[in-house]
């Protein structure tokens, strides 16, 4: 049995922390809206101390953090670790925080970078979720999807992240949903997911092969009365997620497909993948705690 | 020699009119911001009368109009004419305005509709520009591009529009440029086009094969200092126009490629097409006048 760990997922708009025992079990959790954009300069140490003040901690307690806290806008920049990268590479490149609160040893996991067609790609925090999912599911490889504002598709081979790609799916959905001409015929509230309209969107995105064209169908189908206005947000969601899926190689021979995220979002991706005949596994946000815990184990063993 | 014609291009946000002589020559032009959204209910006739009040006109003067004036939100709905459609089909389906100003005969050219993969597509006004370009360039067919908020790609065979497709290129550019995370590192003003950054964007869009992914490169290239911030708007413009081009079959055997529009926009498309080894012809906004005049000729001969 190893030492307890404080694991922190510190993003742009939220702070989540957990106290884990030596076996990686979650003993307590804390969440607040104190994302890095809400922390005044010089106040990161006190915000962290307050976040885990209610937990009994030994002197020299290890705190491992991931997410945008390691970006230029965060507490301390943790330079990106280039792919391929696994537990060992990330553990070796932890950024140890200089102005940690008294009696805490605080480190930030580096984000990952990779390169394709002469263009870099980056992520911060998702790599830790992938590591956690690997451990929770007992996998060595596969294709990992982390849906969100900027979705990540991560290819893992031999417990190392070989490559990944970002898709601005959530952000483009929100822009089309709220600010484009398509918004004019859509209700303000999203309502429950209309699965039929959603899968219709997924399939049309694949047939059209280009979201700039496919998105216009949300307007024309409405204009010709061929879709209910209430179903349009679900249809548009299917179009953008379908567009994201269109670019993935989902060959089963390359290993399982795993979706990591909240229930609502993973359910949409499971459904979209089903349209393509792919059965995905899912893992919830606890993947972060498991990932940080596994990095801490690697650190102990190093 | 035929009769003179008043030709009107009445869109959502602008009204343009021209007086043409019997040979289609433009004698005078008028332009205002009185697009259909700016016209109070019941005032279309008086706005039109005022727009051509300064021109001497014979009794029974023919006025041909195209654009959103024929939409549900316009003066009078002109039902879409299904493709394939040429001069004759459009002339036969003109919507004659019931409440025209005294001494004017006023008709609205119908927009066109087509269908692919069970999804309709529509345009209003662009079909007239294509007809005008056919006459101005002496062509029977080809691929016609009308760049804009909603770009149209129009396939013409035997002087009839066989098929077309809409791409929300201009609108998605504006959304990404002004409202997305990419906007944070871009100057407010666009500045002059940086042709090198623009062609780099066109090429990356093709390589990436998906704008949801390619757009993120505007962020990472900037993050890694591999592109000047001042060049980002041009790079992003290349990305979205490159994405639009990615879906076109530009096989030279299918006839010439013609770009119709303002100088600034046609120049970008010419440049993007050059990246793909395609040399395009261009036609300016006068295509509308020629198109309406040609429909009037067809009407006279019918």
């Amino acid at each position: 049995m190893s030492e307890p760990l404080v694991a922190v997922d510190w993003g742009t708009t939220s702070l989540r922390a957990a106290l884990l025992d030596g076996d990686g079990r979650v003993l307590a959790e804390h969440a607040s809206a104190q994302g890095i954009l809400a922390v005044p300069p010089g106040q990161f140490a006190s915000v962290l101390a307050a976040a885990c003040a209610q937990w009994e901690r030994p002197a020299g307690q290890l705190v491992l953090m991931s997410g945008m806290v390691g970006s230029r806008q965060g507490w301390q920049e943790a330079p990106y670790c280039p792919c391929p990268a696994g537990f060992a590479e990330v553990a070796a490149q932890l950024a140890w925080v200089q102005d940690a609160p008294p009696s805490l040893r605080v480190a930030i996991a580096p984000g990952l970078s990779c390169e394709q067609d002469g263009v870099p790609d980056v992520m911060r925090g998702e790599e830790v979720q992938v590591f956690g999912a690997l451990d929770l599911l007992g996998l060595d490889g596969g294709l990992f999807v982390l849906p969100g504002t900027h979705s990540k598709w991560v290819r893992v081979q031999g417990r190392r992240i070989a490559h990944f790609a970002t898709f601005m799916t959530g952000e483009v959905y929100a822009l089309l949903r709220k600010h484009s001409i398509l918004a004019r015929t859509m209700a303000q509230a999203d309502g429950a997911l209309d699965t039929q309209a959603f899968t219709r969107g997924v399939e049309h995105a694949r047939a059209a092969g280009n979201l700039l064209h496919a998105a216009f169908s949300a307007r024309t189908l409405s204009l010709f009365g061929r879709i209910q206005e209430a179903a349009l947000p679900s249809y548009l969601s299917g179009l953008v997620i379908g567009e994201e899926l269109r670019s993935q190689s989902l060959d089963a021979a390359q290993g399982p497909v795993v979706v990591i995220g909240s229930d609502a979002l993973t359910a949409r991706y499971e459904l979209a993948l089903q349209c393509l005949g792919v059965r995905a596994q899912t893992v919830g946000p606890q993947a972060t705690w498991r990932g940080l815990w596994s990095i801490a184990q690697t650190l102990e063993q190093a």
Side-chain angles (χ1 to χ4, degrees), chain A residues 160-242:
Chain A
R160 293 172 88 209
I161 293 175
H163 187 75
F164 64 90
T166 303
F167 289 76
M168 295 177 66
T169 311
E171 183 161 14
V172 168
Y173 172 74
L175 290 173
L176 291 173
R177 173 79 179 85
K178 288 177 198 156
H179 298 292
S180 79
I181 194 175
L182 308 179
R184 293 191 204 161
T185 45
M186 288 192 207
Q188 286 283 322
D190 267 19
L193 184 71
D194 179 326
T195 56
Q196 202 177 353
F198 177 80
T199 56
R200 184 178 180 186
V202 171
E203 279 154 15
H204 184 60
R206 287 185 77 79
N210 192 319
L211 185 62
L212 291 179
H213 175 51
F216 197 63
S217 69
R219 179 159 171 79
T220 55
L221 286 172
S222 168
L223 190 66
F224 283 76
R226 296 208 212 155
I227 193 166
Q228 296 288 325
E229 290 201 354
L232 279 173
S234 297
Y235 178 70
L236 181 61
S237 176
L239 285 178
V240 291
I241 292 175

Side-chain angles (χ1 to χ4, degrees), chain A residues 28-112:
Chain A
E29 282 188 284
H30 167 89
S32 83
Q34 285 186 294
I36 63 162
L37 296 182
V39 177
Q43 299 298 304
F44 281 97
S46 58
V47 170
L48 174 64
C52 50
Q54 76 276 30
W55 301 330
E56 264 187 66
R57 293 165 281 103
Q61 167 72 57
L62 178 64
V63 179
L64 271 192
M65 311 197 290
S66 64
M68 292 302 280
V69 67
S71 70
R72 261 174 233 170
Q73 293 75 40
W75 188 345
Q76 180 176 311
E77 189 169 0
Y80 293 107
C81 180
C83 284
F87 296 82
E89 286 83 358
V90 165
Q93 207 179 304
L94 291 176
W96 292 92
V97 170
Q98 302 304 310
D99 58 334
S103 89
L104 297 183
R105 290 180 301 139
V106 181
I108 304 174
L112 299 194

Side-chain angles (χ1 to χ4, degrees), chain A residues 95-157:
Chain A
W96 292 92
V97 170
Q98 302 304 310
D99 58 334
S103 89
L104 297 183
R105 290 180 301 139
V106 181
I108 304 174
L112 299 194
S113 64
C114 67
E115 180 112 5
Q116 186 162 34
D117 303 322
V119 172
D121 208 333
V122 294
M123 60 181 172
R124 280 199 186 276
E126 293 91 347
E127 70 291 345
V128 168
Q129 294 179 267
V130 171
F131 290 155
L134 283 171
D135 271 12
L136 288 168
L137 299 177
L139 295 172
D140 283 337
L143 184 58
F144 294 75
V145 195
L146 300 104
T149 306
H150 298 163
S151 296
K152 308 289 181 182
W153 286 76
V154 182
R155 172 68 63 190
V156 178
Q157 288 161 345

